[in-house]
Amino acid sequence: MSQIFHLPEDIRQEFSIDEKGKAYASQSAIARLCGVTQQAINKLLLQLKGTTKPVSESLEPFTGIDYMATTKIPDIVVAAIINHYAMYARKTTEEAKKVSLCFQAIGIRTWIQTELGWQQEKPQLSLEDTITLANFASTTAQNAGVSKALAETIKLESIMQIAPQAKPLLQPQKQAITSAHPLTETAVTPTIIGQRLATKLGHPKISSRAINKKLLALGYQTSVTRIKKSTGREVHDYYRPTEKTLNGNHGQLEMTSYQDGTGKNTKYQLRWFNTIVEILANNWEVKS
């Protein structure tokens, strides 16, 4: 199944799933998804335990339990904490807002199950419920930024996973869609796209900044901004794909990890498939 966001291996190891499909995450994983320190998460878990000041109203259903005693926090609590930092915390974070948007589309449990390759052995849903859920997955995936072609493959894959007996009928349709909209290559950064474009055009170098500027001008991405805490000014945060990009399967938004002075953090980056090189080459100007 195609992913809305890529989960780095070092974060993946901090999630687990039990035999019933219930997902869990460590305190460290929650901190990274929320864009806060692990100390902040530990402080919040102490509040849930009831040993410190009361928690916000959004977290009240989860109070009275000592989540500090385990490294495996249940997925429903993880979702509540992410939602807290996205909407209700005194200082909300952009990271939590982005992750919350992703989870709203497919659900945190489904997302973790997909990332870890877990599959339910004997689904008990009716055909009507299966189709309803598949349509919901397809629609919400499109709302979260996935192309129509990928959304249709998500729908077909969902039905085949829940109702394997439908696979002989639906598999040819899925193959036809993926053949018409291939995504077999690895998406790469604007820096690498710049290197490929420079080679194609015979230029010594084309920077990632020039690539991003041209992609903005051509309408293949838009800039998402945030308010910088130190200055209160609006600054660029990350690029979001447009309908032109998603419908043409030219790029996708991925979750990546990086190291800074405060430790490991998470960011979102729009990465590109090689089809964008030809588009840029046909629209490139000497002064770009």
Side-chain angles (χ1 to χ4, degrees):
M1 181 182 295
S2 298
Q3 300 171 339
I4 294 178
F5 292 114
H6 169 66
L7 187 62
E9 187 62 35
D10 56 339
I11 301 179
R12 186 189 303 267
Q13 296 172 356
E14 298 181 22
F15 292 93
S16 60
I17 299 175
D18 65 19
E19 66 280 359
K20 295 182 179 180
K22 190 173 183 179
Y24 301 86
S26 69
Q27 290 95 326
S28 175
I30 299 172
R32 295 183 63 184
L33 292 176
C34 292
V36 298
T37 64
Q38 185 168 339
Q39 289 81 355
I41 294 299
N42 291 342
K43 181 179 179 180
L44 189 61
L45 294 179
L46 287 174
Q47 293 177 14
L48 291 178
K49 182 180 178 182
T51 58
T52 60
K53 64 181 180 179
V55 296
S56 67
E57 185 177 346
S58 65
L59 292 172
E60 284 184 357
F62 307 100
T63 56
I65 301 177
D66 185 9
Y67 295 109
M68 286 293 293
T70 177
T71 58
K72 298 171 64 176
I73 312 300
D75 48 25
I76 189 172
V77 180
V78 176
I81 293 174
I82 292 171
N83 188 53
H84 167 74
Y85 280 107
M87 300 179 61
Y88 302 105
R90 185 170 60 89
K91 292 184 178 180
T92 59
T93 68
E94 290 300 315
E95 289 85 351
K97 291 176 183 177
K98 297 165 197 170
V99 176
S100 180
L101 175 62
C102 174
F103 292 163
Q104 286 173 21
I106 60 174
I108 185 171
R109 183 173 298 182
T110 301
W111 182 71
I112 296 175
Q113 289 174 351
T114 301
E115 288 287 346
L116 300 188
W118 184 88
Q119 296 181 1
Q120 187 175 2
E121 295 183 358
K122 295 181 179 181
Q124 302 297 321
L125 293 177
S126 66
L127 178 59
E128 181 180 1
D129 289 340
T130 298
I131 294 175
T132 298
L133 286 174
N135 286 331
F136 174 76
S138 174
T139 301
T140 51
Q142 287 188 62
N143 292 339
V146 172
S147 70
K148 292 180 181 179
L150 281 177
E152 287 302 306
T153 62
I154 288 174
K155 180 194 298 184
L156 295 174
E157 182 67 27
S158 298
I159 296 175
M160 288 188 290
Q161 290 290 337
I162 298 174
Q165 66 272 21
K167 189 171 183 178
L169 176 64
L170 300 182
Q171 186 65 31
Q173 298 181 45
K174 180 186 175 185
Q175 290 176 346
I177 294 174
T178 53
S179 296
H181 304 275
L183 278 177
T184 54
E185 64 176 306
T186 301
V188 296
T189 64
T191 299
I192 296 178
I193 293 297
Q195 294 170 355
R196 294 177 181 177
L197 181 61
T199 299
K200 184 178 183 65
L201 298 179
H203 292 189
K205 182 178 181 181
I206 297 177
S207 68
S208 60
R209 183 176 181 180
I211 294 296
N212 282 322
K213 182 179 178 181
K214 178 60 72 175
L215 290 170
L216 280 170
L218 294 176
Y220 284 92
Q221 66 182 9
T222 58
S223 175
V224 178
T225 61
R226 62 180 173 83
I227 302 300
K228 191 173 183 179
K229 295 179 181 179
S230 59
T231 63
R233 293 183 177 180
E234 188 177 57
V235 296
H236 169 76
D237 188 10
Y238 68 102
Y239 290 108
R240 176 183 294 163
T242 64
E243 287 297 318
K244 289 176 65 175
T245 292
L246 296 174
N247 290 339
N249 289 333
H250 300 306
Q252 65 185 23
L253 194 63
E254 296 186 359
M255 176 189 290
T256 60
S257 60
Y258 69 99
Q259 187 86 22
D260 64 10
T262 62
K264 293 181 179 179
N265 287 282
T266 301
K267 65 179 179 179
Y268 299 86
Q269 187 172 33
L270 179 52
R271 296 191 173 184
W272 301 92
F273 297 106
N274 205 50
T275 53
I276 202 68
V277 174
E278 188 66 29
I279 294 172
L280 289 170
N282 292 336
N283 293 275
W284 202 257
E285 301 164 2
V286 175
K287 296 183 179 180
S288 294

